[in-house]
Amino acid sequence: MSISKNSILKLISIFFLSVFILINALFWMTQEYLSAMEQKEQLRRFFIAERLVREGEDELKHLMIKSVTDITQEELLKNGRVLTELPFAKMVLYKNRTIFVRTPPPPHPKAFFSPHPPPPPKDIFTHMALEDIETKGAIPIWAIFVFIDLLILLFFIYLMKKLLPLYHLKNAIRSYKDGDTKLDAPTNTYDEVSEITVEFNHVLEKIASMKEARTLFMRNVFHELKTPIMKGSLTADCLEPSQNQERLKRIFERMGYLLDEFSKIERFGSKECELKIGEYLFVDLLDAAYDILMCDKNGFILKLEEPKLILSVDFELFAIALKNLLDNALKYGSGKPTIIVSAHFIKICSHGEPILEEKRDFSKPFNRSYENSASGLGLGLYLTNSIVQKHGFHFVYSYKDDINSFEIKF
């Protein structure tokens, strides 16, 4: 399961991990602080108890201290774990019992004179062991923090379980194929993610229904148009050979080709058309564009800087793109348009008025600027731009010195 670095699941995991580490660090610091304060309080009571030890055990009980008589000092100092070490004293932990032990001082050197008074005699340290009998809290501090850690982990697991369907939904959307009406994602968890999946499936069903209706409509339109064109072509074939008959045959052939072209353009616009890439000479593509446009190639000025230019394109679609540019240059230009062919670009230039700034968005077939235009709807340039981009090329328009230039860059 690969998760992107900006995934919500990853961010939540990092957040919970940070909170978990922070809480446990605070627990450790709190534990150390409370332990130090507790030892300080124990030492305070031990020091007071030392002064009262000769007054009897009753006085020591008020301090929750008692004398230790069942363990020798040697046993305590040997097997007890030292908690705090002071001059002439140690506080040790012996079998879960906290005991304060006085230790004898080191022997005083006799060879030298010392201005300080000699240490007390060793006998006052004999059996000087006091035990803290204060009852600790019923719930130790670490138990509270363990409970908090468990709550955080349980909440994290619960949250990830709730968000995991969102990850499955994302993968289902990515693996969605054209024609599918449902996503391969769970819809039985009764939460927001399941509701989103259900609504998404409803949208997919509507889209599929609309596409089916659109396909049926286009098929009916093409069928209804093909029938009279076929009848007209058959009728023209039955006429006596003449110039008018040839003209009629060319007209019906042209209409039939345009209808096929519209069908291809419709499939291309609906993303249903796959490119059939091949290597072709540009001059062959240009001749195909002339034939589609039914124009005389002598009506253009051709400048071949790269006469044997070979392009890896879909022959029919790229010929349509060229045809649209040639048609645009003939309709809205004056004089002969110029076709410049180099190794890196194809440029079609014509004299005329510039295209208005608001009409230069060729990524849309129609916009408000074209709606009231009598010169066209911009569909040809939109199709050319779409076909060029589909091939991975760039479509660029420029205007300079009264010349409109449409350039296809490789």
Side-chain angles (χ1 to χ4, degrees):
M1 183 173 72
S2 59
I3 300 177
S4 65
K5 63 179 181 179
N6 296 322
S7 169
I8 295 177
L9 299 179
K10 186 172 183 179
L11 293 176
I12 290 177
S13 300
I14 293 174
F15 172 76
F16 271 93
L17 179 61
S18 302
V19 170
F20 188 79
I21 293 174
L22 178 61
I23 287 179
N24 283 274
L26 289 175
F27 159 67
W28 180 81
M29 293 170 61
T30 304
Q31 183 74 6
E32 290 293 317
Y33 174 77
L34 293 178
S35 178
M37 294 300 295
E38 182 180 4
Q39 290 181 14
K40 187 176 180 181
E41 174 62 19
Q42 286 176 329
L43 285 175
R44 186 188 70 82
R45 290 190 287 112
F46 281 138
F47 289 147
I48 296 174
E50 274 190 314
R51 300 173 187 173
L52 303 176
V53 68
R54 298 185 183 280
E55 297 183 12
E57 291 293 325
D58 292 336
E59 294 295 333
L60 297 181
K61 287 182 180 179
H62 295 297
L63 295 172
M64 304 301 294
I65 301 291
K66 75 172 185 176
S67 299
V68 178
T69 58
D70 57 334
I71 310 171
T72 63
Q73 278 189 343
E74 290 77 9
E75 175 70 14
L76 291 172
L77 295 175
K78 181 179 179 181
N79 298 319
R81 183 168 65 88
V82 178
L83 299 177
T84 305
E85 187 168 0
L86 302 170
F88 312 133
K90 291 182 180 179
M91 187 165 64
V92 299
L93 184 66
Y94 181 83
K95 295 182 180 179
N96 294 326
R97 297 165 64 183
T98 305
I99 301 174
F100 180 81
V101 183
R102 274 290 181 183
T103 58
H108 187 71
K110 298 180 180 180
F112 299 98
F113 171 77
S114 175
H116 302 289
K122 291 185 178 181
D123 59 351
I124 71 167
F125 297 98
T126 305
H127 304 300
M128 185 59 70
L130 302 173
E131 181 183 356
D132 183 8
I133 59 173
E134 184 179 19
T135 305
K136 301 298 188 293
I139 303 178
I141 186 68
W142 60 265
I144 298 175
F145 277 92
V146 168
F147 178 72
I148 293 174
D149 283 346
L150 287 175
L151 282 181
I152 292 174
L153 289 175
L154 289 175
F155 182 67
F156 172 72
I157 294 172
Y158 173 78
L159 190 60
M160 293 299 287
K161 187 177 179 181
K162 286 294 183 182
L163 289 177
L164 200 57
L166 190 62
Y167 175 80
H168 295 316
L169 176 60
K170 180 200 72 173
N171 288 340
I173 294 174
R174 280 185 175 179
S175 60
Y176 166 77
K177 297 178 181 178
D178 191 22
D180 292 346
T181 57
K182 287 187 179 181
L183 294 176
D184 185 16
T187 58
N188 57 353
T189 54
Y190 305 104
D191 55 11
E192 287 79 0
V193 177
S194 294
E195 292 178 3
I196 292 174
T197 305
V198 170
E199 294 301 323
F200 211 98
N201 288 337
H202 289 165
V203 172
L204 292 180
E205 290 175 0
K206 289 182 181 179
I207 292 174
S209 177
M210 292 173 62
K211 289 181 69 175
E212 185 178 355
R214 170 180 163 277
T215 302
L216 182 61
F217 171 76
M218 296 303 297
R219 286 177 180 174
N220 287 335
V221 168
F222 289 137
H223 175 73
E224 293 299 327
L225 288 175
K226 277 185 177 181
T227 301
I229 291 174
M230 188 178 298
K231 288 181 179 180
S233 179
L234 291 174
T235 302
D237 288 336
C238 295
L239 296 176
E240 293 292 331
S242 65
Q243 185 176 1
N244 288 335
Q245 188 228 20
E246 290 297 324
R247 186 177 299 170
L248 282 174
K249 288 178 65 176
R250 289 190 63 190
I251 289 173
F252 284 117
E253 287 176 1
R254 165 73 171 163
M255 293 176 66
Y257 185 87
L258 287 176
L259 194 61
D260 291 338
E261 179 183 335
F262 291 150
S263 175
K264 292 175 184 176
I265 290 172
E266 188 275 331
R267 287 188 290 110
F268 179 80
S270 62
K271 312 298 182 183
E272 296 178 1
C273 182
E274 295 294 331
L275 296 180
K276 298 178 181 178
I277 300 296
E279 292 188 349
Y280 306 99
L281 285 168
F282 173 75
V283 291
D284 294 335
L285 293 166
L286 188 60
D287 287 340
Y290 289 150
D291 292 339
I292 298 172
L293 195 57
M294 298 180 66
C295 66
D296 185 2
K297 62 177 66 178
N298 294 323
F300 297 89
I301 300 172
L302 182 60
K303 295 182 179 180
L304 290 174
E305 298 177 5
E306 185 68 30
K308 296 183 179 180
L309 176 64
I310 296 178
L311 298 177
S312 296
V313 295
D314 183 300
F315 188 90
E316 293 183 355
L317 287 177
F318 203 79
I320 291 172
L322 290 176
K323 183 268 297 181
N324 289 334
L325 292 180
L326 298 178
D327 188 36
N328 186 80
L330 289 174
K331 283 182 179 178
Y332 307 116
S334 59
K336 288 186 177 183
T338 301
I339 305 171
I340 303 173
V341 182
S342 77
H344 304 291
F345 65 85
I346 300 167
K347 185 182 290 187
I348 299 176
C349 308
S350 62
H351 290 273
E353 296 295 325
I355 298 177
L356 297 178
E357 191 70 31
E358 58 269 20
K359 293 184 179 181
R360 296 182 185 181
D361 183 8
F362 305 130
S363 62
K364 300 176 182 178
F366 307 101
N367 58 45
R368 292 190 179 276
S369 300
Y370 283 110
E371 286 177 4
N372 298 321
S373 174
S375 60
L377 296 173
L379 183 59
L381 294 179
Y382 158 74
L383 290 173
T384 298
N385 179 63
S386 300
I387 293 172
V388 168
Q389 289 186 350
K390 184 77 172 179
H391 284 82
F393 304 150
H394 300 284
F395 184 59
V396 181
Y397 167 78
S398 62
Y399 182 81
K400 185 178 181 181
D401 299 331
D402 195 36
I403 296 177
N404 289 294
S405 299
F406 292 93
E407 186 175 356
I408 300 175
K409 292 184 177 181
F410 312 132

